[in-house]
Amino acid sequence: MTEQIKFFLPGPSYVLEEVRQAMTGPMAGHRSAPFKAFYLKIAERLPKVLRTAGDVMVATGSSTLVMESSVLSCAASDVLNLTNGAFSERWHSISKSTGKNADKVAFPWGEAVDPDTVRAALRRKRYEAVTVVHNETSTGVMSPLAEIARAIREESDALVLVDTVSSLGGAPVEADAWGLDVVLAGTQKALALPPGLAVFTLSDRAAERAAKVPHRGFYTDLLRYRDKHREGGFITTPGIPLLYALDRQLDRMLAEGMEARWTRHELLYRRTAEWAAARGHEYASAPDARSFTVSCLRPPAGVDPQAIVKGLAERGFTIGGGYGDWKPTTFRIGHMGEVQERDLDVLLDEIDQVVEGVAAGAAVR
Ligand SMILES: Cc1ncc(COP(=O)(O)O)c(C=O)c1O
């Protein structure tokens, strides 16, 4: 039986019943031989999702844990944070709060990170690491990650730290081909898993540099994660039920195929864009930088986005409101994870009905 999805938050996203059921498996000793064999099967499949020949580690914690860990592990001092929304700003706050000498190059909300501006910044100063968010969930902007990484690699020897929290599994991410040193993502977005785990890569050159960085912490030391992973395990007790879910969802994702998954997400974005243009909902993200996984929209004049979110909730549908400063003016549709075009079509029709009601209510008043 196919499940109709009515839950379109830009994370956490809808988790299929089958994957939720997988979490009810019995507990196991995480250092036992059967559990190690189970984890090895995860370790063999995850690199196919992040497109790397290297290791992919799993942390029990949310994406922010690995954002912080990557800064602590990969730079002793000088970090450059590229910002264009709330989550890239978070990486700047993390860099400062962990005592790094952090600069930022800020792009306006709604716009992509521009590779040429990044090049210019790297010519002015040497950095040990540069952070970039591939897909800004707050604004629905997807930046040209391959070009940004190329600019960083060509202009410097800085490590490229990338947040793919809301793009991994929903848009092309090529850890090796694009020269990315740390690629991290929580599992609760386009991977369509419950929150609580984060996956990440650590390139060989990043591991070599990390070995020389003092005070990497314990829970935040990516090198420690990698060494334990190579022994077949974890630095601490992992979220075992979440790993059961990951195991099941990896099979589903790889059966669909990563390319097919990216294409499905692109089509969901295009379907949303077509509908938005016809109804007068305006994208808040620049036209050349729209996300495959989240559409951030401004409704037509006179329609309150928060009334749309509320009206949908009354009908049993969930979408995201605007984020931060954009809360009063935008709403966000998370078309990610396991959402199919038929689910999206039902949602868009529901939004039409809610907007009609909101507009009629405004006319009466
Ligand atoms: C792009 C991006 N980065 C980081 C985060 C923080 O993730 P978490 O809440 O898993 O720590 C989010 C959460 O929405 C996000 O969308």
Side-chain angles (χ1 to χ4, degrees), residues 73-74 205-214 216 221 223 226:
S73 301
C74 293
R205 74 171 190 151
E208 276 163 32
R209 303 254 196 106
K212 298 190 190 104
V213 172
R216 302 190 297 274
D221 180 2
L223 200 51
R226 194 205 58 172

Side-chain angles (χ1 to χ4, degrees), residues 166-181:
S166 57
S167 57
L168 187 69
V173 172
E174 300 277 359
D176 287 359
W178 295 351
L180 313 176
D181 292 292

Side-chain angles (χ1 to χ4, degrees), residues 49 88 96 110 119 132 150 154 175 222 260 268 276 285 294 301 311 315:
V49 176
S88 40
K96 286 188 297 183
R119 276 182 199 278
V132 58
R150 191 178 317 126
E154 285 175 3
L222 297 189
L268 292 172
S285 38
V294 51
R315 291 161 171 263

Side-chain angles (χ1 to χ4, degrees), residues 10-12 61-67 86-88 90 133-138 163-167 184-189 195-198 323 332:
S62 80
S63 328
T64 306
L65 168 69
V66 185
M67 291 168 83
F87 295 104
S88 40
R90 178 177 295 184
V133 171
H134 184 202
N135 193 73
E136 251 304 348
T137 324
S138 55
D163 166 335
T164 62
V165 173
S166 57
S167 57
L184 70 94
T187 50
Q188 75 275 21
K189 308 257 181 186
L197 294 181
Y323 199 97
R332 293 174 304 153

Side-chain angles (χ1 to χ4, degrees), residues 283-305:
Y283 268 83
S285 38
D288 57 346
R290 290 186 191 151
S291 163
F292 287 2
T293 57
V294 51
S295 287
C296 182
L297 298 163
R298 292 191 194 101
V303 180
D304 175 5

Side-chain angles (χ1 to χ4, degrees), residues 44-319:
E44 282 165 359
R45 285 170 290 161
L46 259 183
K48 298 187 174 121
V49 176
L50 289 95
R51 313 281 273 204
T52 178
D55 299 305
V56 178
M57 278 60 70
V58 182
T60 297
S62 80
S63 328
T64 306
L65 168 69
V66 185
M67 291 168 83
E68 183 154 330
S69 304
S70 67
V71 168
L72 278 167
S73 301
C74 293
S77 174
D78 294 323
V79 175
L80 178 65
N81 306 114
L82 308 175
T83 68
N84 64 335
F87 295 104
S88 40
E89 280 291 345
R90 178 177 295 184
W91 231 343
H92 187 53
S93 305
I94 287 171
S95 304
K96 286 188 297 183
S97 71
T98 50
K100 305 302 170 192
N101 187 5
D103 293 336
K104 76 171 167 178
V105 174
F107 300 88
W109 277 44
E111 291 188 16
V113 170
D114 169 47
D116 288 334
T117 311
V118 175
R119 276 182 199 278
L122 291 169
R123 284 178 194 158
R124 288 194 293 272
K125 183 171 165 184
R126 182 173 177 272
Y127 294 96
E128 297 162 73
V130 180
T131 70
V132 58
V133 171
H134 184 202
N135 193 73
E136 251 304 348
T137 324
S138 55
T139 60
V141 165
M142 189 157 70
S143 287
L145 182 55
E147 285 76 15
I148 296 163
R150 191 178 317 126
I152 299 169
R153 286 278 187 152
E154 285 175 3
E155 299 296 337
S156 75
D157 65 352
L159 296 174
V160 184
L161 314 184
V162 189
D163 166 335
T164 62
V165 173
S166 57
S167 57
L168 187 69
V173 172
E174 300 277 359
D176 287 359
W178 295 351
L180 313 176
D181 292 292
V182 173
V183 178
L184 70 94
T187 50
Q188 75 275 21
K189 308 257 181 186
L191 300 178
L193 281 159
L197 294 181
V199 297
F200 64 94
T201 64
L202 184 71
S203 70
D204 286 342
R205 74 171 190 151
E208 276 163 32
R209 303 254 196 106
K212 298 190 190 104
V213 172
H215 310 304
R216 302 190 297 274
F218 188 98
Y219 214 170
T220 49
D221 180 2
L222 297 189
L223 200 51
R224 189 185 297 271
Y225 279 86
R226 194 205 58 172
D227 291 348
K228 277 287 175 197
H229 169 84
R230 288 185 170 177
E231 290 168 18
F234 296 86
I235 59 172
T236 60
T237 316
I240 292 170
L242 297 168
L243 290 168
Y244 292 156
L246 172 61
D247 173 55
R248 181 65 57 91
Q249 181 65 352
L250 273 172
D251 274 350
R252 296 192 70 273
M253 284 194 293
L254 295 174
E256 180 178 7
M258 295 316 293
E259 284 85 352
R261 222 176 149 80
W262 302 336
T263 305
R264 175 166 57 80
H265 282 81
E266 182 173 359
L267 290 175
L268 292 172
Y269 151 64
R270 292 202 184 286
R271 173 80 194 95
T272 309
E274 225 171 70
W275 164 85
R279 303 296 192 280
H281 298 280
E282 193 195 333
Y283 268 83
S285 38
D288 57 346
R290 290 186 191 151
S291 163
F292 287 2
T293 57
V294 51
S295 287
C296 182
L297 298 163
R298 292 191 194 101
V303 180
D304 175 5
Q306 295 179 70
I308 299 180
V309 177
K310 189 164 167 277
L312 282 170
E314 285 161 7
R315 291 161 171 263
F317 287 79
T318 305
I319 62 167

